[in-house]
């Protein structure tokens, strides 16, 4: 039986916290963001072109923002 995954896209708004689902690699082989790294969404990509399914995220371990696809991140929920 397959499991359905529902995403609440209001959680993917600028200013919200997200974390990486898996490690994310850059075109530069030495650059990677480890799985579980937390970041803040800065902006949603445009409505057309390559950026339409991307978010610009500033991860805590990086010096500059990264463009990532929506399936590479998930909402970060603070645990109590």
């Amino acid at each position: 039986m397959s499991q359905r995954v529902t995403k609440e896209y209001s959680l993917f708004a600028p200013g919200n916290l997200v974390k990486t689902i898996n490690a994310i690699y850059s075109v530069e082989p030495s650059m990677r963001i480890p799985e579980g790294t937390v970041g803040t969404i800065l902006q949603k990509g445009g409505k057309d072109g390559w950026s339409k399914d991307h978010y610009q995220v500033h991860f805590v371990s990086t010096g500059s923002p990264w463009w990532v696809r929506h399936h590479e991140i998930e909402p970060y929920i603070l645990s109590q």
Side-chain angles (χ1 to χ4, degrees):
M1 183 158 98
S2 68
Q3 185 177 14
R4 291 183 186 234
V5 177
T6 304
K7 288 197 175 192
E8 174 56 56
Y9 287 97
S10 65
L11 296 173
F12 291 90
N16 288 348
L17 294 176
V18 293
K19 66 178 181 176
T20 57
I21 295 172
N22 296 303
I24 300 174
Y25 294 86
S26 171
V27 293
E28 173 62 41
S30 65
M31 296 183 66
R32 88 186 245 299
I33 299 174
E35 177 182 338
T37 302
V38 177
T40 304
I41 295 176
L42 300 177
Q43 65 177 318
K44 167 88 172 86
K47 296 191 185 296
D48 298 318
W50 72 269
S51 69
K52 69 179 180 179
D53 64 344
H54 286 71
Y55 293 88
Q56 188 179 42
V57 179
H58 187 266
F59 293 100
V60 294
S61 63
T62 63
S64 59
W66 281 50
W67 283 100
V68 297
R69 292 187 172 169
H70 66 281
H71 61 78
E72 296 176 306
I73 56 176
E74 65 185 5
Y76 177 76
I77 309 297
L78 295 171
S79 58
Q80 296 183 353

